[in-house]
Amino acid sequence: FDSMPDGGVTVSVSAEGSSGAGSEDGSKKPERLSASAASLTEAQDELQHYSGGLQLFFGHTAYFLLGADVLNTDTARFFDCIERDTAFRLSIPVFAISSGSASELILGAGDEERDATKLMHALTQELRLRGDMHVYTAAEIISAMDVNGAALICAIKCAPSAEAAEDDTQMLTVIADGYAIIKDGRLCGYIEPELSPAVWMLTGDMGISDLTVDGSGGDAVTLQLNRCRSGITPRWDGDALVGFDVDIELSASVNESGRPLPLSDPEQERVLCEALNARVTELVNGVLRTSQELGADFLNLNYAAELDSPKKYAALGGGFITLFPKLEINVSVSSRISHTNNISNG
C-alpha cells in the first residue's frame, strides 16, 4: 500500500502462477502489478481489470507492506481496510518500508524467478530463527494501537543482493531495518536495528539468539542467549505513580571466542556476565528512552501499572501517557553463563 499526494492510494501485488495467480501457459514466473485510484477498493478492482487475464485472489495475501508515505500520513485508513475486507486475514504479518514506496520494492526487488513474496518469506523465516525480532501481525498492531495508542511494525528496506543477475546487474533484496513506531496512527520514530533485541527482552518473548560482548582480554565473545525472563514492577509514592523497576534475567552460553575461555575459572564467568549485563542494560535503556521521549507506550507499561493497582491507575491525574515521559525507570540485569559450545574451551 502507498499513499499519493492527491489523497489517492496505490496497491501493488506480486503473485506467482503456482500460488493465487493462475496463468494459461503454466508459467511459474511472478507477475508484478500496480494500480492507483481514489480508494483502496477501486485500486483493487483496477488491478483485476488490468491483470492481463490473471485471477487475483486476495485471500492468498501473505504479507502487507506499508510505504513510507503511508506511515507519515495515516495508517488507520489501511488497517480499516484490512479489518473490513473479508478477503484479508488479521493474522497476516505487516511490514513498514523505512525509505521509499512499497510499489518500488514489489516491482523492483528480486528477479524473474524470485519475487517480493519469496524474499519476504525468506526474511520472515530468518527473523523467527534468529529469535531477536518479532514480526507483528495486523491483529497485534491494531490491538496495540487501540489499547496503548502506539504500536511497533517491523521495518524493512531494499538493499543490493550479494548475488548478481546474469547480466551482472545488482539484484535488490530485502533486509530488516529495526522497528517503525506508530503513535496515533502515524509514524513518530524508529527503533534502530541494533536496539531491536531489547524489545523482545522487555516483553519476555525472546527466542534463542546471539549477542557479542567484550571478553576479559578485549576479544569479542559471541554468547548464545538461551533464556530471558523480564519483570516490570510499577513504583508508587502513595497514590502517585513515580516510575518502574525493570528486572531482566538471562541465561547464556559461549558460542564463539577468539581464545579459550575456561568457565571453570570463576573470574572468566564473572567478566563475561558483567559484559553481558552492561550490554543488555544499554540496549534496554535505549528502547525505554526512545519510548519515553516520543511519549509512545508501545511496550504496554500502562497495563502493568493498571494491573498492579487498578484504583490508583484510574485516579492518575491527566492519564498515564501524560505522566509517562517523566517517570523514572530503573533497569536491573542479571545473568549466568551455563556452559560453552566452543570445543577449544575444554
Side-chain angles (χ1 to χ4, degrees):
F1 297 129
D2 290 303
S3 292
M4 298 170 62
D6 62 0
V9 297
T10 298
V11 178
S12 306
V13 299
S14 182
E16 188 181 35
S18 61
S19 58
S23 56
E24 294 181 359
D25 62 358
S27 173
K28 302 296 184 181
K29 292 183 178 180
E31 297 285 348
R32 299 172 174 90
L33 306 170
S34 184
S36 299
S39 70
L40 286 164
T41 303
E42 290 181 17
Q44 288 175 258
D45 290 341
E46 287 287 308
L47 280 175
Q48 185 60 73
H49 293 162
Y50 296 99
S51 62
L54 289 175
Q55 294 300 313
L56 301 179
F57 180 52
F58 289 99
H60 283 171
T61 300
Y63 305 98
F64 290 123
L65 308 183
L66 302 182
D69 287 341
V70 172
L71 303 176
N72 290 316
T73 53
D74 186 10
T75 62
R77 178 183 188 182
F78 297 88
F79 284 112
D80 286 346
C81 173
I82 293 169
E83 284 189 284
R84 71 171 180 265
D85 195 322
T86 56
F88 294 140
R89 292 168 287 113
L90 290 175
S91 59
I92 296 175
V94 181
F95 292 84
I97 313 295
S98 57
S99 177
S101 67
S103 62
E104 290 172 346
L105 188 153
I106 289 176
L107 301 179
D111 54 23
E112 292 186 356
E113 295 181 356
R114 289 166 293 182
D115 65 343
T117 303
K118 288 188 175 181
L119 294 177
M120 291 305 303
H121 180 67
L123 175 64
T124 302
Q125 290 297 102
E126 177 197 350
L127 294 178
R128 287 171 177 165
L129 290 172
R130 259 174 36 187
D132 59 356
M133 281 192 72
H134 181 61
V135 178
Y136 290 94
T137 65
E140 290 174 311
I141 296 166
I142 292 169
S143 176
M145 289 195 293
D146 286 343
V147 175
N148 305 322
L152 295 178
I153 303 178
C154 188
I156 57 175
K157 65 179 180 180
C158 279
S161 171
E163 179 182 356
E166 292 183 0
D167 58 358
D168 293 329
T169 59
Q170 200 77 43
M171 185 180 80
L172 290 179
T173 189
V174 183
I175 62 174
D177 196 27
Y179 291 103
I181 305 170
I182 306 299
K183 178 184 176 184
D184 298 329
R186 297 188 179 189
L187 177 73
C188 67
Y190 284 97
I191 292 177
E192 298 300 322
E194 59 268 21
L195 295 179
S196 297
V199 174
W200 265 37
M201 292 178 186
L202 285 163
T203 58
D205 295 325
M206 189 170 189
I208 295 177
S209 59
D210 297 326
L211 191 66
T212 300
V213 301
D214 292 330
S216 57
D219 298 326
V221 179
T222 300
L223 300 176
Q224 177 177 287
L225 305 183
N226 301 311
R227 183 179 61 84
C228 177
R229 184 170 64 182
S230 64
I232 299 176
T233 306
R235 287 201 319 277
W236 303 89
D237 183 5
D239 291 335
L241 179 65
V242 295
F244 291 91
D245 291 323
V246 177
D247 298 301
I248 295 176
E249 297 179 9
L250 297 164
S251 176
S253 56
V254 177
N255 250 8
E256 186 179 352
S257 58
R259 59 189 180 87
L261 294 173
L263 295 181
S264 56
D265 181 359
E267 179 65 14
Q268 292 284 359
E269 181 177 4
R270 183 190 67 79
V271 170
L272 283 179
C273 285
E274 286 184 354
L276 176 58
N277 295 347
R279 179 60 177 150
V280 170
T281 300
E282 178 185 11
L283 294 175
V284 170
N285 276 327
V287 170
L288 291 169
R289 183 166 54 251
T290 299
S291 181
Q292 285 190 285
E293 289 176 352
L294 296 174
D297 182 26
F298 50 79
L299 293 170
N300 205 16
L301 296 183
N302 72 90
Y303 179 70
E306 183 178 16
L307 191 64
D308 185 70
S309 180
K311 184 177 180 180
K312 292 180 181 179
Y313 180 86
L316 289 176
F320 175 84
I321 202 63
T322 303
L323 299 173
F324 181 50
K326 305 172 186 177
L327 298 177
E328 180 184 9
I329 303 180
N330 297 324
V331 177
S332 175
V333 180
S334 60
S335 62
R336 61 183 291 268
I337 309 295
S338 59
H339 63 280
T340 178
N341 299 318
N342 193 337
I343 297 176
S344 64
N345 288 337

